[in-house]
Amino acid sequence: MAPSRHALVDLEVVELGRGDTTGHHRERGRLRIDVADPRASQQHATMTLTAGRWQITDASSKNGTLVNGARVTSTIIADGDVVEIGRTFFRFAAAVATRRDDPTDALAVESLPGATTIVPSFASTLAPLSAIARGTAPAVVLGATGTGKEVIARGIHQASGRGGPFVPVNCAAIPGELVASVLFGHRRGSFSGAVDDEPGLVRSADGGTLFLDEIGVQDPDERRWALRITESSRTAAR
């Protein structure tokens, strides 16, 4: 079931229930959201705006309405709460940054292979990457750990049309003294512990994409060798 996002501005009632297909209908301060979920009831739950706060009430559904995993009859929902009907989940957000041209009801968009979003502004940010991916210049993806840089990098690789593999490398996990060996390979017996010939990650990514992850580490010594990776891999990044 594809995700979607619905603004609650100018609404007084939101109805949640089962439909033949997943969809929504908005009219005169009311929003109806249907989910193609056999475990949801046709009239499952209703959200009403009361004194500036949203209250959710179970409509005598067969499998109940859950908020943050706990079954409820009626309760006020707060920012970040997760509402569950059947096997469908809704996350309530009290405030979301939007742009004036963002649609009131936003369906999921895959602007880049494997990267699906319900945030229109982010979809617009991702859209040019498919064209960029077909070029030859290295791409830099910035973001904190856990924000999905590898998902974006893998999407760029898939959009590029390159026949070679996608090779992700966790640079923070490579000891400084092994950088050259890991990236560019070595011959058997060239150092203690080198029991086999290894082609190295740069050659392994030939014809594809070499993704150097976690390269912006904080330790000064680590940063120096991380920068050396960037320089030595400039021509091999794609």
Side-chain angles (χ1 to χ4, degrees):
M1 187 181 302
S4 60
R5 187 185 71 170
H6 305 273
L8 301 181
V9 61
D10 297 330
L11 292 178
E12 297 178 356
V13 178
V14 178
E15 298 175 350
L16 307 176
R18 187 185 73 247
D20 294 333
T21 60
T22 297
H24 64 275
H25 177 71
R26 183 184 292 261
E27 183 179 9
R28 295 182 181 178
R30 301 178 70 92
L31 172 65
R32 166 75 185 193
I33 300 178
D34 289 317
V35 294
D37 182 343
R39 293 183 61 86
S41 298
Q42 186 173 10
Q43 302 295 333
H44 198 108
T46 301
M47 293 171 52
T48 55
L49 184 62
T50 305
R53 303 183 69 185
W54 284 95
Q55 180 174 359
I56 188 164
T57 302
D58 182 71
S60 301
S61 63
K62 180 179 180 180
N63 293 310
T65 298
L66 284 72
V67 176
N68 299 329
R71 189 162 181 163
V72 301
T73 300
S74 184
T75 188
I76 298 294
I77 52 177
D79 184 42
D81 282 352
V82 176
V83 175
E84 180 182 353
I85 69 168
R87 295 291 174 82
T88 303
F89 297 85
F90 298 85
R91 183 179 181 274
F92 176 77
V96 176
T98 59
R99 301 190 310 190
R100 290 185 178 181
D101 57 347
D102 284 350
T104 304
D105 300 287
L107 303 180
V109 176
E110 187 180 67
S111 300
L112 192 70
T116 302
T117 180
I118 56 175
V119 181
S121 56
F122 188 51
S124 299
T125 299
L126 295 180
L129 295 183
S130 292
I132 294 172
R134 292 188 288 272
T136 58
V140 178
V141 182
L142 303 177
T145 299
T147 53
K149 296 188 297 296
E150 185 171 338
V151 173
I152 300 302
R154 190 179 296 273
I156 292 173
H157 168 70
Q158 293 176 2
S160 72
R162 292 176 174 81
F166 175 79
V167 180
V169 184
N170 182 0
C171 296
I174 305 175
E177 63 273 15
L178 295 181
V179 171
S181 175
V182 170
L183 285 179
F184 304 110
H186 57 259
R187 294 288 188 181
R188 183 178 61 181
S190 57
F191 57 87
S192 178
V195 296
D196 293 303
D197 291 343
E198 293 291 346
L201 295 174
V202 172
R203 181 173 294 180
S204 297
D206 184 39
T209 299
L210 178 65
F211 174 53
L212 302 177
D213 196 11
E214 300 295 346
I215 202 168
V217 292
Q218 296 302 310
D219 181 80
D221 292 333
E222 295 291 331
R223 185 183 294 113
R224 279 197 289 271
W225 75 252
L227 292 174
R228 286 201 298 273
I229 293 179
T230 305
E231 290 298 323
S232 59
S233 306
R234 188 179 299 276
T235 58
R238 288 292 180 81

